[in-house]
Amino acid sequence: MIEVFQAILLGSTFILSIYWLLAWVKITTYQTSQTSEVQPVSVIVCAHNELNNLKTLLPILLDQNHPDFEVIVVDDRSDDDTYDYMLEAQNDRLKNVRVDQVHDHINAKKYAITLGVKAAKNEILLFIDADCTPNSSGWIQQMTQGFLPSTDFTLGVSFYSRAKGFLNQYIRYETLLTAVNYISWAQLGNPYMGVGRNLAYRKSTFLENKGFNKYQHVTGGDDDLLVNQLAHKKNTHVVVGAASLTFSVPKQKWSSYFKQKLRHFSVSKYYKTKDKLLLGLQNLCNLLYWLSLFILASQTNLYEILGGVLLFRWVILINLNYFTSKKFGDRMNSWLVPILDIFHVAYVTITGSIAIFTKKVQWK
């Protein structure tokens, strides 16, 4: 039996190491392609009771260094004076879309996004959440300059702002690992998700494929399910770098973060079978790694070998954390990686298991 756990430990170490090293190389050596043509863009922001965040975000968006864009704010049933603020915010680039009621046949946020898409005058749509801010005045230009005639999707990276406490450290670590996953997989020809906090796609692609029709009842997934359904190797572009980055306001409480991650995990059950298998293999390897390591540590005296295997894992993860976050434009604290790694595997296992059996989650 000891030999079985040794094989599991070495096998999981090999699989994870190959993936992490491949992701490290793909991301850190990537050069974002550009086109010389400046393309008109419609920036879409969905907001439900986001008055204070809109007061921060809109001036930044309207001051973007891009010659041809509009900003569409979809006011989704807000009762915090968002409507009055939008009436007073006079700007030729700004357009307000008001949602007064929820429809039973479609999730509220998906309905809001659909109205925003239909109201857009431009072909290229760029999405950002109301509680986010672009990291530069060139954000629109960076996120859209790679749109070739064959491009339908551009995937960007969005991190969370720094704050004190372990929760913030973990949120930022988990967000980095998620970005490493979907950016590197897209580079390898298998785009499986994106984040609505920094995502661009064509209006025609959305409308021709009937938008969210296949999963309009699902809470969440307005970003990753659309990418999972329609994106592929030939029509997807990724953008990395500080100028293309956005930052979002992180959760302050574990309970709020748990609800957010539960929503994210619950959506992944609607992914393509191939993507569910690949993600499942990754999570299974992480879980088996730690289980076999603990069992061997308690049942054998191979402490030097086990310590070497563990050190090998953490050296790769620390370097992956350091160099990919630097490439993305926001360097993370690498010294906490060993603690965050252990916590991450446990948290993902527990939350993911709960999400499988959760039937109803909420957006807002």
Side-chain angles (χ1 to χ4, degrees):
M1 184 61 72
I2 295 299
E3 290 76 11
V4 172
F5 287 113
Q6 288 175 336
I8 291 174
L9 179 62
L10 293 177
S12 59
T13 299
F14 176 79
I15 293 173
L16 291 169
S17 299
I18 292 297
Y19 164 65
W20 287 333
L21 290 171
L22 186 60
W24 178 0
V25 171
K26 293 294 290 185
I27 291 173
T28 56
T29 60
Y30 181 72
Q31 297 296 323
T32 300
S33 60
Q34 302 180 6
T35 62
S36 57
E37 180 182 357
V38 176
Q39 311 202 50
V41 181
S42 293
V43 180
I44 298 178
V45 184
C46 291
H48 176 72
N49 291 335
E50 298 279 6
L51 176 61
N52 291 331
N53 286 326
L54 287 173
K55 288 181 178 179
T56 300
L57 173 63
L58 289 184
I60 297 174
L61 290 181
L62 295 172
D63 197 39
Q64 283 287 299
N65 184 22
H66 189 80
D68 191 356
F69 72 95
E70 64 174 351
V71 177
I72 300 171
V73 176
V74 185
D75 177 10
D76 184 12
R77 301 162 292 126
S78 298
D79 53 16
D80 64 349
D81 296 329
T82 294
Y83 180 73
D84 293 334
Y85 173 74
M86 292 303 300
L87 288 179
E88 296 172 0
Q90 299 294 324
N91 192 292
D92 293 338
R93 295 187 186 273
L94 189 60
K95 184 184 296 183
N96 185 34
V97 176
R98 173 77 175 173
V99 179
D100 293 315
Q101 60 182 350
V102 179
H103 295 268
D104 293 335
H105 70 285
I106 186 171
N107 167 262
K109 188 176 182 183
K110 291 185 177 67
Y111 181 66
I113 291 175
T114 301
L115 291 184
V117 170
K118 291 182 177 180
K121 68 178 183 180
N122 299 314
E123 168 69 357
I124 296 179
L125 312 176
L126 179 57
F127 293 83
I128 186 171
D129 282 354
D131 64 348
C132 290
T133 52
N135 195 42
S136 76
S137 60
W139 171 66
I140 294 178
Q141 179 66 17
Q142 289 292 318
M143 282 297 295
T144 58
Q145 65 185 358
F147 263 89
L148 303 173
S150 60
T151 305
D152 290 329
F153 290 90
T154 292
L155 311 181
V157 176
S158 182
F159 287 152
Y160 286 94
S161 302
R162 295 175 184 269
K164 295 181 179 179
F166 183 75
L167 174 59
N168 182 260
Q169 294 284 352
Y170 176 67
I171 289 175
R172 286 165 49 76
Y173 176 76
E174 190 275 336
T175 304
L176 172 63
L177 290 185
T178 299
V180 168
N181 251 15
Y182 73 79
I183 291 295
S184 64
W185 286 26
Q187 290 174 306
L188 292 167
N190 184 43
Y192 76 94
M193 68 162 282
V195 291
R197 306 188 304 274
N198 201 5
L199 173 68
Y201 52 79
R202 293 187 180 276
K203 179 177 180 177
S204 58
T205 300
F206 182 90
L207 296 177
E208 288 169 6
N209 290 278
K210 299 182 179 180
F212 305 117
N213 186 59
K214 291 184 178 180
Y215 44 89
Q216 59 187 9
H217 63 289
V218 179
T219 300
D222 46 273
D223 42 19
D224 48 346
L225 288 182
L226 189 70
V227 173
N228 194 262
Q229 176 190 355
L230 301 176
H232 52 77
K233 178 180 180 179
K234 295 183 178 180
N235 74 346
T236 304
H237 176 65
V238 301
V239 178
V240 299
S244 64
L245 195 62
T246 66
F247 283 93
S248 186
V249 178
K251 299 297 183 183
Q252 303 293 320
K253 297 180 180 179
W254 282 102
S255 58
S256 300
Y257 180 66
F258 176 76
K259 291 178 182 177
Q260 181 187 58
K261 295 312 299 179
L262 191 64
R263 186 174 70 247
H264 293 168
F265 282 127
S266 67
V267 166
S268 64
K269 16 186 209 196
Y270 300 97
Y271 285 179
K272 294 174 183 175
T273 301
K274 173 188 64 175
D275 298 322
K276 288 190 288 188
L277 290 174
L278 287 172
L279 288 169
L281 175 63
Q282 186 182 47
N283 291 328
L284 180 62
C285 284
N286 269 311
L287 180 60
L288 290 177
Y289 174 93
W290 284 108
L291 286 176
S292 58
L293 185 71
F294 286 139
I295 290 172
L296 290 172
S298 63
Q299 298 296 320
T300 70
N301 58 357
L302 303 174
Y303 303 124
E304 292 183 359
I305 296 176
L306 297 178
V309 172
L310 181 58
L311 180 62
F312 177 72
R313 173 190 176 94
W314 282 344
V315 167
I316 294 178
L317 272 178
I318 288 171
N319 281 278
L320 179 72
N321 179 288
Y322 178 84
F323 287 104
T324 57
S325 64
K326 181 180 178 182
K327 181 71 174 183
F328 288 148
D330 184 43
R331 191 176 298 172
M332 305 288 180
N333 293 327
S334 298
W335 62 274
L336 268 177
V337 166
I339 297 173
L340 294 169
D341 177 35
I342 297 172
F343 184 83
H344 178 65
V345 174
Y347 191 85
V348 167
T349 302
I350 294 171
T351 310
S353 300
I354 295 173
I356 294 174
F357 302 101
T358 300
K359 295 183 178 180
K360 188 175 182 180
V361 293
Q362 287 184 315
W363 175 47
K364 286 185 180 180

